């Protein structure tokens, strides 16, 4: 009985995490595109601006570049872990669990790293609504990914 309940919880968390990681990737892609299009322009003499940073994002604060970069890495690894998790969900045996568990743990640790940068960005306070949404999703994903790890480990 408990095995079936854990499988349904894991399936629900798989779908939820997939949707949230996809939204994080969408917002992160928008932010990266804005940074590329509206970043520093090097002049004809190839002089760098006074406060040049290769991770400059015009829509946020000093932590935005790091947050967006690590959130996108966490999103890609999170989607990959969901693919391994879907395979484990299909078979739901001891042989498919180690791959899903290790991929989910790596995705969770990267999500925790992005969450740390999200907290720093919240502390610095200058950001727009899309970045706030991305921060909220990363913070929620850090909890739901941990619940997913617990659900597949407790089989």
């Amino acid at each position: 009985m408990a095995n079936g309940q854990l499988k349904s919880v894991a399936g629900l968390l798989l779908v939820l995490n997939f949707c949230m990681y996809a939204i994080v990737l969408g917002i992160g892609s928008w932010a990266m595109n804005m940074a590329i299009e509206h970043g520093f322009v090097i002049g004809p003499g190839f002089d760098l601006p006074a406060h040049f940073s290769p991770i400059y994002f015009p829509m946020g604060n000093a932590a935005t570049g790091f947050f967006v970069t690590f959130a996108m890495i966490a999103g890609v690894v999170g989607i990959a872990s969901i693919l391994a998790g879907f395979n484990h969900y299909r078979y739901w045996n001891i042989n498919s669990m180690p791959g899903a568990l290790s991929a989910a743990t790596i995705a969770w640790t990267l999500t925790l790293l992005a969450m740390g940068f999200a907290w720093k960005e919240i502390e610095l306070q200058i950001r727009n609504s899309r970045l706030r949404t991305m921060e909220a999703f990363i913070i929620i994903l850090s909890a739901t990914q941990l619940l997913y790890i617990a659900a597949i480990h407790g089989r």
Side-chain angles (χ1 to χ4, degrees), residues 2-152:
N3 192 17
Q5 290 175 343
L6 284 178
K7 185 175 179 181
S8 63
V9 168
L12 175 70
L13 288 170
L14 269 173
V15 172
L16 177 67
N17 287 353
F18 177 78
C19 294
M20 290 178 67
Y21 275 125
I23 291 170
V24 164
L25 281 175
I27 296 172
S29 299
W30 165 83
M32 191 67 72
N33 185 42
M34 290 289 292
I36 291 170
E37 286 184 0
H38 301 291
F40 290 116
V41 177
I42 298 175
F46 296 104
D47 295 328
L48 293 175
H51 298 286
F52 177 74
S53 172
I55 306 179
Y56 171 72
F57 282 73
M59 78 289 288
N61 53 42
T64 301
F66 297 104
F67 168 62
V68 170
T69 302
F70 284 103
M72 287 185 64
I73 292 170
V76 169
V77 175
I79 295 289
S81 77
I82 287 169
L83 295 176
F86 178 70
N87 185 44
H88 175 59
Y89 182 79
R90 279 186 15 212
Y91 296 112
W92 201 256
N93 61 22
I94 197 71
N95 295 330
S96 63
M97 186 175 69
L101 194 58
S102 62
T105 304
I106 292 169
W108 177 62
T109 56
L110 287 170
T111 304
L112 287 178
L113 181 63
M115 183 182 67
F117 286 117
W119 286 344
K120 185 63 178 176
E121 191 177 45
I122 291 168
E123 179 185 334
L124 295 177
Q125 295 183 350
I126 303 171
R127 62 209 193 276
N128 64 16
S129 62
R130 290 180 183 159
L131 291 174
R132 286 186 193 130
T133 303
M134 195 166 150
E135 293 162 1
F137 278 12
I138 285 292
I139 292 169
I140 293 168
L141 272 166
S142 66
T144 59
Q145 188 72 11
L146 181 62
L147 290 175
Y148 169 71
I149 290 170
I152 63 173

